[in-house]
Amino acid sequence: GQTGEAPKPGESIFKSSNHPTALMFHLGFKIAAVVIYILGGLISSSFVFSFVIVTLLLAFDFWTVKNVTGRLLVGLRWWNEVNEDGSNEWRFESREDTSKIADIDSRVFWFTLWLTPLVWSLFMISTLLSFNWGWLLCTVVANVLAAANLYGYVRCSRAAKDKVGSLATSVAAGMFTSSMSSRF
C-alpha cells in the first residue's frame, strides 16, 4: 500500500506509516524494555544490570513518546509547567492540519499507549504476588511513566477536540452574523 494507507494483509505497518522511523522507536523501546524485563536473567546474572537497562529503556520510551512520536504520529504534544507559586499548568499543542497523519500511525500510537500500562500492571501484580521487591520498583516506575504519557495524551486529545469544536462554533457564529448583517 501507499504511505499513509492501511496496510494490506501480510504487509509491514512500517511501509504504510508516514513516519516509519518514529514508529519503529515508538514500538522498539517498549518491546525492548519488556523483553529485557522478562529475559533479563538469561542475558545477565546481575539484577542491577538488567534493572538499569530496563529503567533506561523506559526513560527513553517516555521521552520519545512525549517529545517525538506523539507529535509525528498523531500531531499532539503535551507538557506540564510548574509555576513560581508551585501550581502545575498543563500545556497542549495539536497540529491543525491532521490530513498528514496516517491511520496506521494513529492506531498503533493509541493502541500501544493504552496497552503499555496494562502490561506493566500485570507485571506489577506478578511481582507483588511473588514478593519480588526489586522488580516491583521497576514495574512501578514503568507504570508511572506509561500512565503519565497516557494521561497527558488523553488530556491533549480532548483539548484538541475542544479547540476544533470551539473553532467550528465561532466560524458558524461568524457566518450567521455576517449573513444576518447583509440582510439589513
Side-chain angles (χ1 to χ4, degrees), residues 30 58 61 111-121 142-143 146:
K30 288 171 180 44
L58 293 169
D61 177 60
F111 178 75
T112 58
L113 201 67
W114 283 96
L115 180 66
T116 303
L118 293 175
V119 168
W120 285 108
S121 292
N143 269 310

Side-chain angles (χ1 to χ4, degrees), residues 157-174:
S157 177
R158 286 184 186 150
K161 287 176 185 167
D162 290 347
K163 183 173 141 183
V164 168
S166 66
L167 178 65
T169 302
S170 66
V171 167

Side-chain angles (χ1 to χ4, degrees), residues 26 29-30 33 51-67 78 90 109 112-114 116-118 120-121 124 137-153:
H26 183 76
F29 287 131
K30 288 171 180 44
F51 182 91
V52 168
I53 296 300
V54 170
T55 304
L56 285 172
L57 288 167
L58 293 169
F60 295 158
D61 177 60
F62 176 80
W63 185 89
T64 302
V65 171
K66 185 178 167 305
N67 295 302
W78 67 270
W90 286 83
F109 179 87
T112 58
L113 201 67
W114 283 96
T116 303
L118 293 175
W120 285 108
S121 292
M124 187 171 68
L137 177 61
C138 184
T139 60
V140 168
V141 167
N143 269 310
V144 167
L145 294 175
N149 262 334
L150 178 60
Y151 181 75
Y153 277 109

Side-chain angles (χ1 to χ4, degrees), residues 11-82:
E11 184 179 58
S12 168
I13 59 172
F14 299 104
K15 285 187 178 182
S16 301
S17 173
N18 285 349
H19 301 283
T21 304
L23 189 61
M24 180 187 67
F25 281 104
H26 183 76
L27 294 171
F29 287 131
K30 288 171 180 44
I31 292 168
V34 168
V35 167
I36 299 295
Y37 174 79
I38 293 171
L39 303 176
L42 300 174
I43 296 168
S44 171
S45 61
S46 170
F47 164 77
V48 172
F49 178 76
S50 297
F51 182 91
V52 168
I53 296 300
V54 170
T55 304
L56 285 172
L57 288 167
L58 293 169
F60 295 158
D61 177 60
F62 176 80
W63 185 89
T64 302
V65 171
K66 185 178 167 305
N67 295 302
V68 180
T69 63
R71 191 170 41 84
L72 294 175
L73 300 180
V74 292
L76 299 172
R77 189 165 169 248
W78 67 270
W79 66 97
N80 186 312
E81 293 177 351
V82 178

